[in-house]
Amino acid sequence: LARELKPNVITLDVMMPGMDGWAVLQALKADPETNCIPVVMVTMVGDRSLGFALGAADFVVKPVTREKLSSLMAKFRCATPPCRVLIVEDDENSRELVRNMFEREGWLADTAANGGIAASPFRFRLTKHDASNRPRRAPRLPVPRRLRG
């Protein structure tokens, strides 16, 4: 999803089932198409030094106030709004609360319910700035060279 959307910044929860935030951060930074996207780690627990060592642009511990998150995100605003943010958070209520906050501040906010969706190299069809747990269509897989004509 991050490859397709090319957000200006990603907010990433660490504690998620399946692919946790550390694994997502590693995948994003290992991919040449997403490694330049700043990632802000937003979590209840975590190791700041590990986050920065893996390439996080910033780190904030939950609970975080709207003012603090807004102030932190100001440094990632693009030169020509609307700026796009991808919110990766497994808790639906938190995800919607943050999305609403960003949209009120003029961000174009997309969401992913888990790290697998955010870091997937496949493309998903989106419905108005939201990615559900299920793709709307099958991902486009590359055709092996031996099958190309």
Side-chain angles (χ1 to χ4, degrees):
L1 189 57
R3 277 177 148 197
E4 184 169 340
L5 296 174
K6 302 277 192 264
N8 298 91
V9 63
I10 297 171
T11 64
L12 178 59
D13 185 24
V14 171
M15 303 300 289
M16 293 183 290
M19 188 176 199
D20 70 12
W22 303 124
V24 174
L25 180 60
Q26 285 181 304
L28 292 169
K29 294 306 174 181
D31 185 335
E33 291 189 45
T34 59
N35 66 7
C36 64
I37 301 170
V39 178
V40 176
M41 305 304 287
V42 185
T43 186
M44 291 184 352
V45 296
D47 182 351
R48 289 179 67 94
S49 58
L50 176 60
F52 291 128
L54 293 175
D58 218 321
F59 193 98
V60 65
V61 177
K62 292 179 186 178
V64 60
T65 64
R66 183 172 101 61
E67 293 78 18
K68 179 165 174 73
L69 187 57
S70 179
S71 173
L72 174 73
M73 294 298 287
K75 66 182 174 182
F76 300 107
R77 281 219 177 257
C78 59
T80 55
C83 308
R84 176 166 250 151
V85 59
L86 175 58
I87 304 156
V88 185
E89 168 66 60
D90 65 321
D91 180 73
E92 184 176 359
N93 291 332
S94 296
R95 191 171 58 246
E96 287 304 304
L97 184 70
V98 172
R99 183 185 60 78
N100 289 332
M101 182 202 83
F102 282 136
E103 287 180 347
R104 279 192 306 267
E105 294 185 4
W107 289 85
L108 183 58
D110 299 289
T111 64
N114 63 59
I117 291 172
S120 174
F122 305 120
R123 296 176 183 260
F124 297 94
R125 185 184 337 205
L126 301 177
T127 58
K128 192 164 185 329
H129 316 302
D130 185 48
S132 68
N133 282 324
R134 297 180 313 270
R136 301 272 190 259
R137 64 179 175 199
R140 295 182 193 138
L141 299 173
V143 177
R145 289 181 188 203
R146 67 177 184 268
L147 297 179
R148 288 186 216 160

